Amino acid sequence: MYALQIRNLEVSYGFIKAVKGINITVEKGKIVTLLGSNGAGKSSTIRAISGVMESSGSISLFGREIAKTAVNKIAKLGMLVVPEGRHVFKELTVEENLRTGAFTVSGTARSKNFERVYRYFPVLQERKNQIAQTLSGGEQQMLAIGRALMGSPKILLLDEPSLGLAPLIVKDLFEIIQHIREDGTTVLLVEQNALGALKIADYAYVLEVGQIRMEGAADVLIKDPALIEAYLGH
């Protein structure tokens, strides 16, 4: 059974069609990346999958159709999203932010999730009583990912997690995404950083002007001349 299967997905803004009937499959236990430049339709795709935007087509989560399903119900089914721009609760402490992500779990599961998040991101444990708005951009991104992990996701959607971060922070972040997958969470990673994403992904889709232009195993696409010229530089 696939973790996520998208068929003929279309997203429109009035008369403008941002996503034009795309098909994406995410195998359970894999990292799949959706690549594309700014304006390609990546974020619209994520918002449609997560139920934030209206769309047409089929969206199947672990074999269950979730198109037209409310966002909170999708979260309870095991799909959680880390949105572009982090959107942490800036007036709350780190620990309070993490607790807001644990609304679907309780007791032992919540304690284990805290342990897991602090294992991935020790700096969050060090700063658990610190107000979120005083964290660096990289630390806020860690907090946003940690908050989503507090909900015990079966599949985690990451929308541009490397955006605006220093290269060393990005490298660490991509390594942690690999650990998240190794611990059993399926990942759909939306990225402009094609090279970094392809290095950790199992499979990749390239989105251009709302259409899938290329797809394949990440270790193959990273060597593809057309992809290198378009996204990775010469």
Side-chain angles (χ1 to χ4, degrees):
M1 182 186 296
Y2 293 118
L4 184 65
Q5 197 165 24
I6 297 152
R7 290 289 173 264
N8 302 315
L9 182 71
E10 294 189 352
V11 180
S12 297
Y13 296 87
F15 295 108
I16 300 171
K17 194 170 286 186
V19 180
K20 305 170 183 176
I22 65 172
N23 299 316
I24 295 173
T25 298
V26 180
E27 287 190 38
K28 187 177 178 182
K30 303 291 187 183
I31 297 175
V32 173
T33 186
L34 180 61
L35 306 174
S37 57
N38 191 32
K42 304 187 307 300
S43 290
S44 295
T45 299
I46 286 288
R47 292 186 190 116
I49 294 169
S50 59
V52 175
M53 285 190 70
E54 288 189 9
S55 62
S56 63
S58 172
I59 305 169
S60 176
L61 181 65
F62 297 102
R64 176 171 177 168
E65 181 62 39
I66 61 166
K68 315 299 183 187
T69 301
V71 175
N72 62 323
K73 290 184 179 178
I74 291 174
K76 287 180 180 178
L77 291 171
M79 183 164 68
L80 292 171
V81 183
V82 179
E84 180 183 346
R86 300 148 203 164
H87 297 289
V88 298
F89 298 110
K90 293 187 176 182
E91 303 301 323
L92 301 182
T93 66
V94 167
E95 186 167 304
E96 287 168 343
N97 265 276
L98 292 175
R99 288 188 183 281
T100 67
F103 66 95
T104 59
V105 298
S106 59
T108 304
R110 181 177 293 189
S111 297
K112 286 183 177 179
N113 287 349
F114 265 113
E115 290 173 10
R116 181 186 184 192
V117 169
Y118 288 150
R119 174 163 51 87
Y120 293 146
F121 307 113
V123 69
L124 296 184
Q125 185 169 25
E126 294 169 12
R127 303 187 180 187
K128 63 182 182 180
N129 297 318
Q130 191 168 322
I131 299 299
Q133 68 180 358
T134 66
L135 299 177
S136 69
E139 290 163 350
Q140 288 188 27
Q141 186 61 271
M142 294 173 191
L143 180 55
I145 295 172
R147 182 178 60 189
L149 291 173
M150 288 297 296
S152 301
K154 296 174 184 175
I155 178 168
L156 183 65
L157 276 56
L158 298 168
D159 191 2
E160 304 281 12
S162 74
L163 192 65
L165 301 182
L168 280 176
I169 300 295
V170 172
K171 181 177 179 290
D172 290 344
L173 203 58
F174 280 151
E175 287 178 1
I176 290 163
I177 292 169
Q178 285 182 291
H179 293 317
I180 290 169
R181 185 272 304 275
E182 289 163 4
D183 287 343
T185 303
T186 304
V187 176
L188 177 58
L189 171 63
V190 173
E191 263 295 343
Q192 287 188 57
N193 184 344
L195 182 59
L198 287 170
K199 283 181 176 178
I200 66 168
D202 298 289
Y203 200 85
Y205 294 87
V206 180
L207 192 63
E208 289 183 6
V209 201
Q211 295 180 307
I212 301 294
R213 297 296 189 191
M214 192 182 298
E215 66 174 276
D219 59 356
V220 174
L221 286 187
I222 202 170
K223 301 170 187 173
D224 186 284
L227 187 69
I228 290 169
E229 185 173 353
Y231 292 97
L232 307 182
H234 295 287

